[in-house]
């Protein structure tokens, strides 16, 4: 009997996009359940009562929550093509960099995006330092995963479309191709990959959404 | 704290007037743990190595004066614990425990054999580290009565969730891992010492057996 896979997600969540891309890479059929985060469905609250967030993957009715946990689960159940390396140390490094992305790169990018003036200038330093680590990781490789998109590429996948959107809104280069040639090249290669490109949310809607978010955050600053 | 092994030289090292730790000198260990004896995140690595019966050298770090070794092996975060295995290093405690589970096939399994159970274990480990355990430190350092009351309430709410998780994961057995200590037992268990200290500081029984009878056991 074929597995029943459902993905609860929103149209724009970068965390959910990780799972969308992973399922596509694995060649898996699934049903999409689009959520409205302002009016969470009974299903979302039932399947993720703790965090009440997307994405949630339902596999034969059993929920898996948290995007990186979902990626590992998909990789555990559906072996080909592999997302994580087989070697224990390489696997540990992949987990490390994915966590670094969520704990450091994403928040530092967000701080630059949601600030202005002197606050923004001060926020650029930490982001630059974080990006240097990523640049180093891409030496000699097409993708973080080597020659094919893997777990770490999916973890950083949000940069594939969001960086250029944020740069457009704040009129500031976040990933300068001169300072970060490998990372810039990765962003282009990743975002142009046919498997990845097919699922980018509409750019104009994303610009509108993130513009509104920036305005909202700037109003909060005392 | 490291655990003594029969047949190995154990020496007691006096660190400061009030503290001590037991340092195990393995004859030719290519496994090292950089850490502090009191750090729960470091204890996770040690617990996992003990479960796998892996001898290792413990190198006490001074977090106020970080060693060149620490800065070399964890240049990104410059934090303990770091596991050094041969010429490779692994950082971040949960990642270290999973690495130990993957790299050493001695001793019992640390992660569940079922993929879904593994996903649940990782989910709850993330909850403990991102949401629940950080409240313990804030509580211990808080001097505000109202803030303490609010934090204790949040910790109890989290405890009830962890009790439910335990009932689901343990399947009626003694540990999250079933009949032997597993990943979640290591992640939560390593927090217990600091939890007990916090209980004494604030005068509240946080691991309340009326709220979480199975976990308290």
């Amino acid at each position: 009997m074929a597995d029943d896979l459902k993905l609860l997600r929103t149209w724009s969540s970068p965390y959910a996009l990780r799972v969308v891309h992973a399922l596509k890479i694995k060649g898996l059929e699934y049903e999409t359940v689009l959520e409205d985060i302002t009016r969470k469905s009974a299903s979302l609250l039932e399947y993720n009562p703790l965090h009440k967030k997307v994405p949630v993957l339902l596999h034969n009715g059993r929920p898996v929550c948290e995007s990186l946990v979902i990626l590992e689960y998909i990789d555990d159940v559906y072996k080909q093509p592999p997302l994580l390396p087989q070697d224990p140390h390489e696997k540990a490094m992949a987990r490390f960099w994915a966590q670094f992305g969520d704990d450091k790169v994403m928040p530092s990018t967000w701080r630059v995006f949601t600030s202005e003036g002197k606050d923004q200038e001060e926020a650029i330093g930490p982001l630059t330092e974080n990006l240097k680590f990523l640049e180093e990781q891409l030496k000699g490789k097409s993708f973080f995963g080597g020659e094919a998109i893997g777990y770490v590429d999916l973890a950083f996948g949000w940069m594939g479309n969001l960086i250029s959107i944020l740069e457009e809104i704040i009129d500031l280069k976040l990933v300068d191709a001169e300072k970060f040639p490998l990372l810039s090249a990765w962003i282009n290669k990743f975002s142009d990959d046919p498997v990845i490109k097919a699922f980018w949310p509409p750019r104009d809607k994303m610009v509108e959404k993130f513009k509104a978010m920036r305005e909202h955050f700037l109003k909060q600053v005392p | 704290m490291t655990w003594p092994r029969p047949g190995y030289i154990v020496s007691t090292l006096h660190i400061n007037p009030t503290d001590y730790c037991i340092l195990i000198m393995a004859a030719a260990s290519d496994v090292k743990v950089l850490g502090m004896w009191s750090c729960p995140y470091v204890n996770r690595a040690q617990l996992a190595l003990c479960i796998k019966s892996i001898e290792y050298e413990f190198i006490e770090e001074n977090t106020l004066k970080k060693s060149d070794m620490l800065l070399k092996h964890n240049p990104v975060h410059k934090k303990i614990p770091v596991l050094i295995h041969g010429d490779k290093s692994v950082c971040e405690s949960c990642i270290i425990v999973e690495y130990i589970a993957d790299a050493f096939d001695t001793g019992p399994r640390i992660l569940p054999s079922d993929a879904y159970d593994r996903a649940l274990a990782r989910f709850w480990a993330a909850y403990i580290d991102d949401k629940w355990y950080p409240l313990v430190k804030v509580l211990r350092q808080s001097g505000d009565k109202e803030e303490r009351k609010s934090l204790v309430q949040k910790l109890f709410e989290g405890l009830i969730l962890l009790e439910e998780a335990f009932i689901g994961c343990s399947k009626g057995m003694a540990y999250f891992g079933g009949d032997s200590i597993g990943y979640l037992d290591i992640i939560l268990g390593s927090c217990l010492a600091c939890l007990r200290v916090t209980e004494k500081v604030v005068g509240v029984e946080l691991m309340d057996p009326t709220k979480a009878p199975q976990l308290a056991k």
Side-chain angles (χ1 to χ4, degrees):
Chain A
M1 196 174 83
D3 282 350
D4 177 47
L5 287 167
K6 281 191 183 69
L7 178 63
L8 278 65
R9 68 175 181 98
T10 59
W11 68 272
S12 62
S13 163
Y15 302 102
L17 264 182
R18 290 170 172 171
V19 182
V20 169
H21 289 145
L23 290 167
K24 184 66 183 169
I25 286 169
K26 296 280 189 182
L28 296 167
E29 299 290 326
Y30 65 97
E31 181 190 335
T32 295
V33 179
L34 277 177
E35 285 284 332
D36 176 353
I37 221 68
T38 60
R39 264 183 3 169
K40 295 176 186 182
S41 71
S43 290
L44 179 59
L45 299 177
E46 178 194 345
Y47 292 123
N48 193 356
L50 181 57
H51 301 303
K52 305 176 179 54
K53 285 182 181 176
V54 295
V56 178
L57 181 76
L58 293 171
H59 182 200
N60 296 333
R62 294 200 298 185
V64 186
C65 308
E66 296 296 288
S67 60
L68 293 181
V69 174
I70 297 172
L71 289 191
E72 289 221 39
Y73 176 74
I74 291 171
D75 208 38
D76 269 344
V77 176
Y78 305 99
K79 301 287 183 195
Q80 297 300 328
L83 297 176
L84 275 156
Q86 295 304 298
D87 174 76
H89 185 253
E90 286 175 23
K91 200 186 290 194
M93 293 312 297
R95 289 175 175 140
F96 176 87
W97 288 112
Q99 195 174 309
F100 174 74
D102 279 6
D103 291 351
K104 301 286 182 193
V105 181
M106 212 186 266
S108 57
T109 305
W110 196 242
R111 264 192 287 282
V112 176
F113 178 67
T114 56
S115 57
E116 57 185 354
K118 196 159 180 295
D119 288 342
Q120 192 179 68
E121 283 168 27
E122 284 171 5
I124 288 169
L127 174 60
T128 305
E129 289 309 302
N130 290 333
L131 295 180
K132 282 180 188 168
F133 287 118
L134 299 189
E135 182 77 6
E136 183 68 29
Q137 287 306 303
L138 284 166
K139 277 188 181 155
K141 296 193 280 191
S142 299
F143 298 102
F144 289 103
E147 291 314 302
I149 288 171
Y151 176 82
V152 180
D153 301 281
L154 296 181
F156 282 105
W158 59 272
M159 297 181 92
N161 70 334
L162 210 46
I163 287 290
S164 69
I165 288 167
L166 302 184
E167 286 177 340
E168 179 185 316
I169 294 168
I170 61 175
D171 192 25
L172 179 71
K173 215 70 183 111
L174 295 169
V175 181
D176 187 322
E178 275 187 30
K179 285 189 194 144
F180 303 108
L182 298 177
L183 187 56
S184 296
W186 173 83
I187 287 173
N188 292 333
K189 212 174 345 206
F190 179 85
S191 62
D192 279 344
D193 184 281
V195 164
I196 302 298
K197 194 157 63 169
F199 297 97
W200 288 136
R203 190 184 168 88
D204 52 352
K205 268 182 86 174
M206 291 286 278
V207 170
E208 190 187 324
K209 172 184 163 151
F210 280 89
K211 242 189 207 161
M213 282 173 95
R214 175 170 155 83
E215 280 162 19
H216 169 78
F217 275 95
L218 289 177
K219 279 194 192 129
Q220 308 293 311
V221 177
Chain B
M1 291 285 284
T2 53
W3 281 259
R5 289 269 182 261
Y8 281 85
I9 298 165
V10 174
S11 64
T12 304
L13 189 68
H14 198 74
I15 298 293
N16 64 49
T18 55
D19 298 329
Y20 68 90
C21 80
I22 297 171
L23 188 70
I24 292 175
M25 305 297 291
S29 174
D30 69 346
V31 179
K32 296 175 179 42
V33 173
L34 304 186
M36 270 177 63
W37 68 269
S38 58
C39 174
Y41 302 107
V42 173
N43 294 157
R44 290 172 178 177
Q46 294 172 293
L47 275 166
L49 287 167
C50 277
I51 285 169
K52 290 293 191 179
S53 301
I54 302 297
E55 282 109 23
Y56 63 96
E57 182 186 349
F58 184 77
I59 299 171
E60 184 84 17
E61 277 287 327
N62 179 348
T63 52
L64 297 176
K65 203 178 149 196
K66 294 175 187 186
S67 71
D68 290 341
M69 197 178 208
L70 176 60
L71 298 176
K72 176 188 169 191
H73 288 286
N74 192 355
V76 175
H77 300 303
K78 306 175 179 55
K79 282 184 180 177
I80 53 170
V82 179
L83 179 85
I84 302 170
H85 183 195
D87 60 351
K88 298 181 168 57
S89 35
V90 186
C91 309
E92 298 296 292
S93 62
C94 290
I95 295 174
I96 291 172
V97 174
E98 288 225 46
Y99 172 78
I100 291 167
D102 280 341
F104 302 105
D105 56 13
T106 49
R109 284 190 71 95
I110 288 178
L111 272 126
S113 55
D114 176 75
Y116 188 74
D117 291 339
R118 280 199 292 282
L120 279 182
R122 287 173 181 136
F123 173 86
W124 285 110
Y127 170 71
I128 289 164
D129 276 3
D130 295 346
K131 305 283 180 199
W132 190 75
Y133 187 61
L135 297 175
V136 174
K137 185 177 177 183
V138 178
L139 174 63
R140 195 165 62 244
Q141 294 174 341
S142 170
D144 181 275
K145 198 173 161 195
E146 285 307 310
E147 189 188 34
R148 277 191 170 184
K149 201 172 156 187
S150 164
L151 287 165
V152 166
Q153 180 57 32
K154 284 184 184 151
L155 278 163
F156 282 150
E157 285 163 11
L159 194 69
I160 290 166
L161 294 171
L162 290 170
E163 172 84 357
E164 285 171 24
F166 177 77
I167 291 167
C169 294
S170 65
K171 301 180 178 42
M173 289 185 270
Y175 302 104
F176 280 98
D179 58 6
S180 63
I181 289 173
Y183 180 71
L184 264 184
D185 301 285
I186 294 171
I187 301 307
L188 184 60
S190 61
C191 302
L192 288 178
C194 282
L195 196 73
R196 295 295 186 214
V197 167
T198 306
E199 284 178 338
K200 295 229 181 296
V201 168
V202 302
V204 175
E205 190 176 21
L206 294 169
M207 190 57 78
D208 185 341
T210 65
K211 293 185 168 49
Q214 300 299 323
L215 270 184
K217 264 195 239 169

